[in-house]
Amino acid sequence: MRLQGKNILVTGGASGIGLATVDRCLQEGANVVIADLPGSAGASLAAARDTQDGRRCLFLAVDVSATEQVDQLVADTVAQLGRLDGVFNNAGIGGLSAAAEYPDADFLRIIDINLNGVFRVARAALRQMHRQGSGSIVNCASILGVFGQSMTAAYSAAKGGVVNLTRTLALESAARGVRVNAIGPGYIDTPLLSGLDDTLRQALVRQHPIGRLGRPEEVANATLFLLSDEASFITGAHLLVDGGFTAGKS
């Protein structure tokens, strides 16, 4: 059990990559908090998984755009489980628009959730982990954290910020026993892509040399590694899980 007895917090944990990571952490012996919006399926998902094989799975509602809610999330996690050993900082939203036409409100909302929200969660977690002298944070970045793509000005800016924020947090925390890394998924077959027509879907598939979209559990496996003690000498990294998408063109 790679996470035996550890307490892991997963934001955006009620679907997609987040939920796959919840399940992998539970399988590897962790107690897990699913954190997601109040209207999500998080409560029922946690209830269905709680106390299986003696492990706890709890739901705590949070909007990562609200500092007070984020701080309370970490406080409630520690109050219920005793400590915080790992965080998958995964909550985020998408959005497409040409830069010249991007409304301020839409651009700023994506930045606030995908970048500022990652910072808020990391900041609250680091305060607890620094007190403990241990912990691991994995921030969800993206292939769009390392190169641009048309129609994604806000998303790409946010994810690029997450990559460099991760490096900075890692430098500040290394001497205090806390590791901070990022995961960079390619296009993953989640409900977010369910609305794509077949032409666009196949166009995305062709951009991955492996010849398919990624699966949520493949990102979860890489996240699990970074959360675990197996990655004890890794901090400040951005691990791409992208089927070769960013390797170049063949």
Side-chain angles (χ1 to χ4, degrees), residues 173-196:
S173 299
R176 307 186 74 166
V178 180
R179 297 181 298 105
V180 186
N181 292 290
I183 199 85
Y187 283 93
I188 308 300
D189 198 2
T190 69
L192 288 175
L193 299 185
S194 62
L196 297 180

Side-chain angles (χ1 to χ4, degrees), residues 20-109:
T21 302
V22 167
D23 286 336
R24 286 295 291 120
C25 290
L26 288 167
Q27 290 163 9
E28 291 293 339
N31 303 305
V32 181
V33 170
I34 298 175
D36 215 310
L37 292 168
S40 72
S44 59
L45 291 167
R49 290 160 170 78
D50 192 30
T51 70
Q52 290 183 6
D53 300 321
R55 292 181 292 276
R56 301 302 316 278
C57 186
L58 311 173
F59 172 70
L60 294 174
V62 70
D63 179 344
V64 298
S65 68
T67 296
E68 298 80 5
Q69 291 188 35
V70 170
D71 291 346
Q72 192 63 51
L73 168 68
V74 171
D76 289 346
T77 297
V78 174
Q80 297 209 44
L81 298 179
R83 58 182 288 121
L84 178 61
D85 300 296
V87 173
F88 182 33
N89 207 348
N90 170 66
I93 60 172
L96 297 173
S97 178
E101 310 300 330
Y102 228 128
D104 278 3
D106 294 347
F107 186 95
L108 293 173
R109 175 168 168 74

Side-chain angles (χ1 to χ4, degrees), residues 11 35 38 92 122 145 147 185 192-193 199 212 217 242 247:
T11 66
F147 71 92
L192 288 175
L193 299 185
T199 299
R212 60 174 175 82
E217 61 268 24
D242 67 353

